[in-house]
Amino acid sequence: MPLENEDRPSDSPYVHRVWRSQASGVARMTSIATSNWELVFWEQHGSVHAAVRGPETTVSSVEVPDGSASFGITFAHGTSMPHLPAARLVDSALESPYATATTFTLRGEEWLIPDFESAEQFVARLVRQGVVVRDPLVDEVVTGGMPELGTRSVQRRVAAATGLTQGGIRQIERARQAAILLGEGVVPLEVVNRLGYYDQPHLARSLQRFIGRTATELRRPDAAAQPLSLLYKIGDPAGF
């Protein structure tokens, strides 16, 4: 396979997913929209890089160097870094100014680069040092909870922690879920009914914007097409 992905869930309330990827013989990848921010490490031509990558509100095509290896920590909704406002990270990435085979710089401090197995221990150190904080209300709201706060207060806290609106997060997550269902063979009309789209054209527009594939392309993948970035099933999103 040109792009081999592996991912796992996490028991940390700060972490949504941990993943790693190996590229072989692929030039570009379709990066699908995501409502979470990530800390990503990759090796390219013998050099190690690290970057904070924010939520992506639309699909894009990105270069994937042949033979490159990458590893990432996808953070849960509500987790943020006070020194990097979430709104600043949306549809952008900030690369660490310094990285070696074993260390990188974040918030002006040097940190050991974690691996696939030690991600949670690394995040726990970030939490202890105040680099990463968490607003549990945000994760509760995104997963369908009903906090006893006014709508505007909730909206402000979601935007502050994620850089996105509740509606924006919902649209992205619904499109990702639709792509998974279509890939499993569910017919488009059933996806429309199950996830609350108005009709099939509404589903088609959502897929084009957030996934970069049609329903037919997701149901019958073309081996010659650009591979998709990580798409994983975590259960039906709340409210769908």
Side-chain angles (χ1 to χ4, degrees):
M1 294 181 63
L3 195 63
E4 297 182 13
N5 295 322
E6 179 183 1
D7 67 279
R8 64 172 177 81
S10 174
D11 59 4
S12 168
Y14 295 86
V15 179
H16 176 62
R17 209 81 178 174
V18 182
W19 59 268
R20 57 186 170 189
S21 181
Q22 180 74 43
S24 175
V26 58
R28 301 193 70 82
M29 171 185 73
T30 298
S31 181
I32 64 177
T34 177
S35 60
N36 303 82
W37 67 276
E38 302 179 311
L39 187 55
V40 182
F41 306 90
W42 71 98
E43 185 275 329
Q44 179 181 347
H45 304 313
S47 297
V48 174
H49 304 264
V52 176
R53 188 166 63 195
E56 297 177 63
T57 60
T58 188
V59 68
S60 62
S61 178
V62 298
E63 182 181 358
V64 181
D66 186 22
S68 62
S70 54
F71 153 71
I73 302 171
T74 302
F75 288 85
H77 295 120
T79 302
S80 61
M81 293 183 290
H83 73 288
L84 286 177
R88 179 183 172 191
L89 297 174
V90 175
D91 292 322
S92 66
L94 295 175
E95 187 167 349
S96 172
Y98 175 80
T100 70
T102 58
T103 63
F104 77 107
T105 300
L106 179 65
R107 202 185 63 176
E109 305 165 46
E110 188 174 87
W111 302 84
L112 288 174
I113 295 177
D115 57 27
F116 190 74
E117 287 76 24
S118 65
E120 284 79 8
Q121 291 87 343
F122 168 72
V123 171
R125 290 195 294 273
L126 294 180
V127 173
R128 288 195 296 269
Q129 295 299 318
V131 179
V132 166
V133 297
R134 176 175 177 262
D135 183 347
L137 175 138
V138 175
D139 196 37
E140 177 188 353
V141 168
V142 171
T143 54
M146 300 291 290
E148 296 181 358
L149 283 178
T151 301
R152 289 186 179 180
S153 294
V154 171
Q155 290 173 343
R156 283 195 296 267
R157 288 171 66 168
V158 170
T162 68
L164 304 173
T165 64
Q166 288 177 256
I169 293 172
R170 184 179 186 275
Q171 289 180 52
I172 292 170
E173 295 305 313
R174 179 167 60 174
R176 292 172 65 95
Q177 184 70 3
I180 291 170
L181 292 174
L182 290 164
E184 293 175 344
V186 179
V187 298
L189 184 57
E190 174 61 22
V191 173
V192 167
N193 293 332
R194 191 179 301 186
L195 299 185
Y197 286 101
Y198 296 124
D199 49 28
Q200 292 194 58
H202 184 203
L203 169 64
R205 291 192 298 271
S206 176
L207 292 174
Q208 189 64 39
R209 177 181 177 185
F210 298 119
I211 309 297
R213 294 283 197 278
T214 66
T216 299
E217 288 168 339
L218 289 164
R219 298 186 73 210
R220 303 183 183 89
D222 181 355
Q226 286 185 17
L228 291 174
S229 60
L230 192 61
L231 186 64
Y232 43 80
K233 185 174 184 180
I234 57 172
D236 291 338
F240 292 170

